[in-house]
Amino acid sequence: MKRVAVAHPNIALAKYWGKRDQGRNVPAVPSLSVTLDGMTTTTAIEEAEADSLAINGVLRTGRPLERAVAMLDTLWREAGRLGQRPRAAVDSHNDFPTAAGLASSASAFAALAVAADALFATQLGRERLSAIARRSSASAGRSLFGGFVELPAGDAFAVDLPAAPVAPASHWDLRLVVAVTTEGEKEVGSTDGMVRTTETSPLYDGWVNAAPAIFARVREAVLARDFDALVGPVEQSALTMHATAFAADPGLVYWNGTTVEVIRAVRKLRAEGLRACFTIDAGPHVKILTPTASEASVREAISRVPGVLRTISARPGEGARLAVEE
Ligand code: 2P0
């Protein structure tokens, strides 16, 4: 039987960057994200002669297949199933471009966890699926849930570390405007970038020490739906994460010139009285948070910044789930 699941990417307002434990993929800092609506990964899975993985219609081998297989093995083992795991054909499609800088690994592993849980009839529940997805890609643990979601930092012994919902999507009708600044893919992936930062950046300990207080301020502002209180910690989280990465050896510069221009444009809009703040992930695009009422003005102003190729708008959305069969 074929099972189909859908999941959405998420954007961290308080960033995760760095692992306490590489093998178990345990984050060194707490993060808080918003799961997005609109952009969707749809993943179908069915029993097959051998494990296989297709992404957007292209069969993949090597590392992407290994990561998917590792998740299927973990899920089977976690469910305490005896005997050999059924082999599975996984067919995953994204309806958004990877070059938009929206972490496709988050929605991919969240959708795969839900689809495989249904195929194997393991009924692990959302929390355990989140912990399993987090082991494959930490941000994927957050996409199991909708709305505003937190992922705590783990200690060295953390085996099961799920994300948890902070508030549902309906809690706060914010908009997230992505300013796309290049169509190219990033040079250094998040996983490798984090390892380099952890091992070589002299600022890494400062980031790990500062992150919990920044996270707490973001969490409080989200719960209070206080946009003005959100601005400071959201921008500080992104800038401190990037400052730490800049200081690695060799330095990780995820930005391009347009990234800086958009930051300046957002601050100018704020000085003119508009509510908006920015965040940046492991790539050159800028994500701008704004209340619904100012979305149109923000989009228009940001589209005019030289170097911005286009903008994409998203709102808070739902967690990973089985697709409704037609
Ligand atoms: C985040 N990022 O909190 C941060 C901010 C990117 C910048 O989580 O190694 O793909 O698979 O656990 O989850 C992207 O990193 O990394 C990410 P792994 P992941 O959204």
Side-chain angles (χ1 to χ4, degrees):
M1 205 203 320
K2 187 183 198 174
R3 303 313 297 257
V4 182
V6 292
H8 308 292
N10 67 76
I11 296 291
L13 309 183
K15 300 296 187 194
Y16 145 62
W17 195 254
K19 303 171 200 288
R20 187 139 288 155
D21 184 301
Q22 187 81 19
R24 282 168 296 173
N25 206 34
V26 173
V29 297
S31 57
L32 193 151
S33 59
V34 54
T35 303
L36 303 180
D37 193 15
M39 290 159 271
T40 305
T41 296
T42 304
T43 298
I45 186 169
E46 58 189 331
E47 282 196 34
E49 294 281 300
D51 289 328
S52 67
L53 170 70
I55 301 176
N56 292 335
V58 179
L59 267 178
R60 306 289 296 266
T61 53
R63 190 80 190 112
L65 176 62
E66 281 167 24
R67 285 181 79 180
V69 167
M71 170 181 270
L72 299 179
D73 289 342
T74 304
L75 207 143
W76 187 254
R77 200 172 52 239
E78 284 287 308
R81 287 302 180 83
L82 303 172
Q84 212 199 22
R85 168 177 71 74
R87 302 294 108 175
V90 177
D91 185 15
S92 190
H93 288 266
N94 295 323
D95 71 358
F96 55 95
T98 357
L102 293 147
S104 54
S105 70
S107 50
F109 285 110
L112 181 58
V114 171
D117 182 55
L119 181 72
F120 300 156
T122 34
Q123 296 183 315
L124 284 174
R126 201 153 281 266
E127 195 170 313
R128 290 186 72 193
L129 291 178
S130 169
I132 289 168
R134 188 269 306 154
R135 264 188 257 178
S136 294
S137 190
S139 54
R142 301 188 308 233
S143 275
L144 258 296
F145 300 97
F148 301 83
V149 182
E150 64 185 339
L151 177 63
D155 56 35
F157 308 102
V159 180
D160 256 6
L161 188 75
V166 170
S170 58
H171 170 73
W172 200 1
D173 195 21
L174 285 177
R175 290 293 182 276
L176 190 115
V177 177
V178 183
V180 178
T181 66
T182 173
E183 298 292 1
E185 301 235 356
K186 65 190 167 201
E187 286 163 28
V188 183
S190 298
T191 307
D192 294 342
M194 278 186 226
V195 172
R196 192 191 297 174
T197 305
T198 307
E199 289 176 352
T200 66
S201 174
L203 305 185
Y204 182 68
D205 288 346
W207 157 245
V208 172
N209 290 335
I214 299 173
F215 162 84
R217 287 170 63 206
V218 168
R219 192 176 191 282
E220 208 174 304
V222 164
L223 286 173
R225 287 190 286 257
D226 185 343
F227 196 90
D228 295 335
L230 193 64
V231 171
V234 165
E235 293 192 354
Q236 192 182 22
S237 178
L239 293 175
T240 309
M241 176 202 124
H242 281 276
T244 310
F246 277 138
D249 181 20
L252 289 157
V253 182
Y254 284 111
W255 300 8
N256 59 30
T258 310
T259 312
V260 180
E261 291 308 325
V262 176
I263 290 174
R264 296 172 73 90
V266 170
R267 292 196 157 168
K268 186 159 170 279
L269 287 176
R270 221 163 45 232
E272 290 164 5
L274 224 58
R275 290 202 160 98
C277 68
F278 64 82
T279 187
I280 307 157
D281 293 295
H285 315 291
V286 184
K287 287 98 185 217
I288 301 136
L289 271 174
T290 189
T292 312
S294 31
E295 182 199 359
S297 313
V298 166
R299 261 191 107 152
E300 200 207 291
I302 296 303
S303 303
R304 275 190 273 113
V305 174
V308 171
L309 304 178
R310 60 204 156 88
T311 60
I312 303 169
S313 264
R315 62 175 75 186
E318 299 305 316
R321 60 206 178 273
L322 282 176
V324 179
E325 306 279 354
E326 294 295 322

